Amino acid sequence: MKDIFSNFRGNLFGGITAGIVALPLALAFGVQSGLGPDAGLYGAIFIGFFASLFGGTNTQISGPTAPMTAVSMVVIAGIIAANNGSVEQALPYILLVFLMAGIFQIVLGLVGVGKYIKYIPYPVVSGFMTAIGVIILITQVLPLVGYYAKDDVAFINEFKPQAEEVLLDKILKDEAGEGILVLEDFKETVRRAESISEEEILAEAVTLAKAESSGVIGAVKSAPRAFSNINWLELILALLTIAIIYGFKRITTVVPSTLVALLVVSCGAYFLKLEYLPIEQIPGGFPMPNLSMFSEFSFGQISPYVFTALTLSFLGAIDSLLTSVVADNMTKTKHKPNKELIGQGIGNSFAALFGGIPGAGATIRTVVNINSGGTTKLSGMVAALFLLVVLLALGPVASQIPAAVLAGILITVGIGVMDYRGLKAIPNMPKSEIAIMLVVLLLSVFWNLVYAVGIGLIMASLIFMKKIGDASASKSKIVPLLDADELSMSWNDEINFPKTLKEEVFIKRLEGPLFFGNTSDFQELAGSIPETATHLVIRMGKVPYMDQSGLYAMEEILLRLSQKGVTTLIVGLQSQPRIMMENIDIIPDLVAKECIFKTFNTAMIYINENVKDIVS
């Protein structure tokens, strides 16, 4: 605790500065998620405070980030669609998924997964990050030009027949739940249908119209309508925001350009009394826990989202630990990955309980904190408390921010989050890695972020295993004893064995792990041993690992050789493969213990003493 409060002044200034940077982004990410700006602020407050308090990276600032918000947006849209387009009805399930993601992160930290996150293949990360940028850019095209489906009367009217169908379906479901048989009491159904007001139909049509224009596909479909109904004031405000963000950076980086753009454009639009579209109302007062998720809990309804929650937790883990590495490089410290995951999980769990969107370690905010003097966990906690003060004191004021300003901010976020280093490297990358990157990119943008990452990981794993298998097979050879060209052993000179044994003794060298990716090549090589062979020497000094597939392939080969009367000698057998072979009695049933040698020279002595020339 004493270390946390050391360098109090630096941590105070670093935290406040990071909080200032976080404010416009939290509002923007909340709007993008679909839950509103208050959800972004709540996420920044609770994740920022508790991830700093319990995490394993002293200078990390956490909160909603572009990748986490993009995935959350997909989750939110999917659950809302599954709940008849009602945000209120879907909210408990949405928050429950976010809570599950936080709990999963805690579990990942407790079981020690943090140290393995670094093995995520770069093409998967690159394709995903670029997809996040593309998704943000496409989905912000409509707000950029001031088009919102909820305000397009002609578009909404197209959905009135479908809205009536949805409302009628609700009546039928309600009657089924009440035990009313429609065919026996059709008058009751008609009575309820006639009681549907025009306002209810309109509200349902608005919900359907918003759903139709949401996401990447919805934005693409709605683009022609949007461009034919451009709100020039909104477009000018958004473009002015973008220009200030990029232009102010050329003047100074001491003051965050995003905040400058937010204040300048918002104040200008407000005091000039321009008729702009403001963001959604931010509730005043301290955030209260949303416990409806527990009263509405139904495992049947939430079970389809378990995998989504797990993926969200993994994404948050990757996002956070990558930022932790950046912090380590800047501060010359060493973060604790598993503790960081526990802290992020606790933060995301609290955020879900209070209605906030999930988040992770934020690179830009962390860098700002460090450059401004932050050195301990106190800086992250100060940043969160600063945002809480803003919420309590300036909530009504923040509600006057133009929606176009947040659209402009998100446009710059989308441009900045893409992995340009990976894109520039495409001409020099292996075709397999380009394929992984493009598959993840395209599937993420036009299908599903969660599944795209999973498919990318599977592709990367299969390609990696093939490469390892090919490499191991290319280095594995079967040669006659006389022709063996050991790299560091001139055993022909050390052991004076009879040259007449060259047709009886063969040697097989294995390099690398013996696993399911190269067992077929291993078996083919073993099948190339001629009928004249009486002894086979298997060099396993460079085989550190053997899996179950490799073990059974070895057993099959040794059994086949034993039936042919070939004696197998093993040289340099390491501990893990030996334990595996002893567990299923390959040793001593197929390879006698006296035929296992530590060095090649001792094996040659055995051959020299025991092998007889049978081929003249």
Side-chain angles (χ1 to χ4, degrees):
M1 187 63 70
K2 182 179 178 181
D3 292 337
I4 291 179
F5 288 97
S6 63
N7 185 30
F8 182 82
R9 182 178 178 182
N11 288 313
L12 182 65
F13 186 70
I16 291 175
T17 307
I20 291 172
V21 174
L23 176 60
L25 294 175
L27 294 171
F29 288 139
V31 171
Q32 187 196 6
S33 73
L35 292 185
D38 52 321
L41 269 180
Y42 295 164
I45 291 168
F46 289 101
I47 299 169
F49 186 86
F50 289 104
S52 293
L53 180 61
F54 296 106
T57 311
N58 288 339
T59 55
Q60 180 140 281
I61 305 294
S62 300
T65 62
M68 292 294 282
T69 303
V71 176
S72 299
M73 179 179 67
V74 175
V75 173
I76 292 166
I79 297 179
I80 290 175
N83 285 271
N84 300 315
S86 171
V87 177
E88 292 75 17
Q89 185 177 333
L91 186 60
Y93 299 104
I94 292 169
L95 297 181
L96 194 56
V97 170
F98 294 162
L99 177 62
M100 290 167 56
I103 294 172
F104 282 146
Q105 277 189 322
I106 296 173
V107 173
L108 292 177
L110 291 175
V111 300
V113 172
K115 59 186 178 182
Y116 297 107
I117 297 295
K118 62 184 178 182
Y119 297 113
I120 301 294
Y122 178 78
V124 175
V125 176
S126 178
F128 180 79
M129 294 305 294
T130 301
I132 294 297
V134 174
I135 289 171
I136 292 175
L137 292 175
I138 294 176
T139 55
Q140 290 307 305
V141 167
L142 303 186
L144 182 73
V145 298
Y147 178 83
Y148 297 90
K150 62 183 178 64
D151 300 322
D152 189 339
V153 177
F155 186 54
I156 292 171
N157 287 335
E158 294 177 9
F159 290 90
K160 282 189 174 181
Q162 188 178 344
E164 293 179 357
E165 181 182 341
V166 171
L167 292 172
L168 181 59
D169 186 57
K170 287 181 181 179
I171 291 175
L172 295 175
K173 287 182 178 178
D174 290 342
E175 289 183 341
E178 296 170 14
I180 299 175
L181 299 177
V182 177
L183 296 180
E184 294 182 5
D185 193 4
F186 189 70
K187 291 182 179 180
E188 174 62 19
T189 305
V190 173
R191 185 189 67 78
R192 295 190 183 190
E194 289 177 343
S195 67
I196 297 174
S197 66
E198 188 65 29
E199 289 74 18
E200 289 178 291
I201 296 174
L202 181 60
E204 188 63 42
V206 169
T207 299
L208 293 171
K210 288 169 63 178
E212 182 67 19
S213 63
S214 65
V216 172
I217 302 299
V220 172
K221 288 181 178 179
S222 301
R225 183 183 294 271
F227 286 116
S228 63
N229 295 277
I230 295 177
N231 184 321
W232 293 102
L233 175 60
E234 297 294 309
L235 178 59
I236 291 170
L237 291 177
L239 294 177
L240 186 58
T241 301
I242 295 171
I244 293 175
I245 290 174
Y246 287 122
F248 195 79
K249 288 179 181 179
R250 296 179 176 273
I251 300 173
T252 179
T253 56
V254 175
V255 181
S257 62
T258 303
L259 181 67
V260 173
L262 176 71
L263 293 175
V264 170
V265 180
S266 298
C267 291
Y270 180 78
F271 288 111
L272 290 174
K273 300 186 183 302
L274 301 178
E275 295 182 2
Y276 62 85
L277 298 171
I279 63 174
E280 296 178 31
Q281 186 70 29
I282 299 176
F286 193 89
M288 300 303 294
N290 189 327
L291 302 180
S292 61
M293 69 178 83
F294 301 110
S295 61
E296 297 289 335
F297 175 76
S298 169
F299 184 77
Q301 285 185 275
I302 206 67
S303 57
Y305 300 102
V306 171
F307 177 72
T308 301
L310 184 60
T311 305
L312 196 60
S313 69
F314 268 106
L315 174 60
I318 296 169
D319 207 1
S320 298
L321 295 181
L322 288 176
T323 303
S324 296
V325 172
V326 173
D328 285 349
N329 292 335
M330 294 184 67
T331 60
K332 309 304 179 186
T333 57
K334 181 68 176 177
H335 73 280
K336 299 175 182 177
N338 293 317
K339 187 177 180 181
E340 182 62 34
L341 292 188
I342 294 172
Q344 292 291 335
I346 293 173
N348 278 308
S349 298
F350 270 99
L353 289 172
F354 285 86
I357 60 174
T363 305
I364 295 176
R365 281 158 267 178
T366 300
V367 171
V368 167
N369 175 44
I370 295 171
N371 289 337
S372 301
T375 56
T376 71
K377 297 181 178 183
L378 180 63
S379 59
M381 296 159 68
V382 167
L385 293 174
F386 171 81
L387 292 174
L388 179 60
V389 171
V390 171
L391 173 67
L392 297 177
L394 302 175
V397 176
S399 298
Q400 299 302 315
I401 296 173
V405 171
L406 298 188
I409 291 173
L410 285 170
I411 290 290
T412 62
V413 171
I415 294 172
V417 78
M418 290 192 287
D419 181 33
Y420 296 102
R421 183 178 67 172
L423 294 174
K424 290 178 181 178
I426 286 179
N428 302 315
M429 289 171 59
K431 291 182 179 179
S432 58
E433 295 191 4
I434 295 174
I436 294 170
M437 181 190 296
L438 294 179
V439 166
V440 173
L441 171 60
L442 295 174
L443 292 182
S444 296
V445 172
F446 295 106
W447 184 41
N448 186 293
L449 279 162
V450 175
Y451 296 148
V453 172
I455 291 172
L457 289 173
I458 292 172
M459 287 180 62
S461 299
L462 292 175
I463 291 172
F464 171 76
M465 288 184 290
K466 183 181 185 303
K467 288 181 178 179
I468 292 296
D470 291 346
S472 298
S474 66
K475 294 179 181 179
S476 299
K477 301 177 181 178
I478 294 182
V479 294
L481 186 62
L482 185 62
D483 299 332
D485 53 350
E486 298 301 313
L487 296 177
S488 60
M489 289 187 180
S490 55
W491 43 265
N492 280 334
D493 298 330
E494 295 173 1
I495 304 298
N496 186 23
F497 63 92
K499 295 183 179 180
T500 54
L501 300 182
K502 65 180 182 179
E503 298 294 338
E504 286 80 15
V505 180
F506 281 72
I507 178 172
K508 179 172 180 59
R509 307 185 192 93
L510 298 180
E511 291 193 29
L514 183 59
F515 70 115
F516 63 90
N518 61 3
T519 53
S520 60
D521 295 314
F522 176 47
Q523 290 169 325
E524 288 178 10
L525 285 170
S528 64
I529 299 174
E531 296 294 331
T532 57
T534 61
H535 288 73
L536 173 67
V537 181
I538 302 180
R539 303 287 307 266
M540 295 185 66
K542 295 183 179 181
V543 181
Y545 172 78
M546 175 189 292
D547 72 354
Q548 205 73 12
S549 298
L551 178 68
Y552 290 137
M554 176 69 76
E555 181 184 38
E556 179 185 339
I557 290 169
L558 293 178
L559 182 61
R560 192 192 317 160
L561 292 173
S562 178
Q563 291 171 347
K564 290 182 177 181
V566 177
T567 301
T568 301
L569 313 179
I570 298 179
V571 176
L573 185 61
Q574 298 190 37
S575 59
Q576 192 273 346
R578 180 163 191 150
I579 292 172
M580 295 281 287
M581 294 170 72
E582 288 177 344
N583 284 342
I584 65 170
D585 296 325
I586 289 179
I587 302 173
D589 292 355
L590 297 178
V591 180
K593 290 185 177 180
E594 58 268 22
C595 291
I596 299 175
F597 305 93
K598 290 184 178 181
T599 66
F600 190 76
N601 285 339
T602 54
M604 287 300 95
I605 293 173
Y606 174 91
I607 290 173
N608 196 47
E609 293 176 350
N610 293 277
V611 180
K612 306 298 182 182
D613 179 22
I614 58 174
V615 179
S616 57

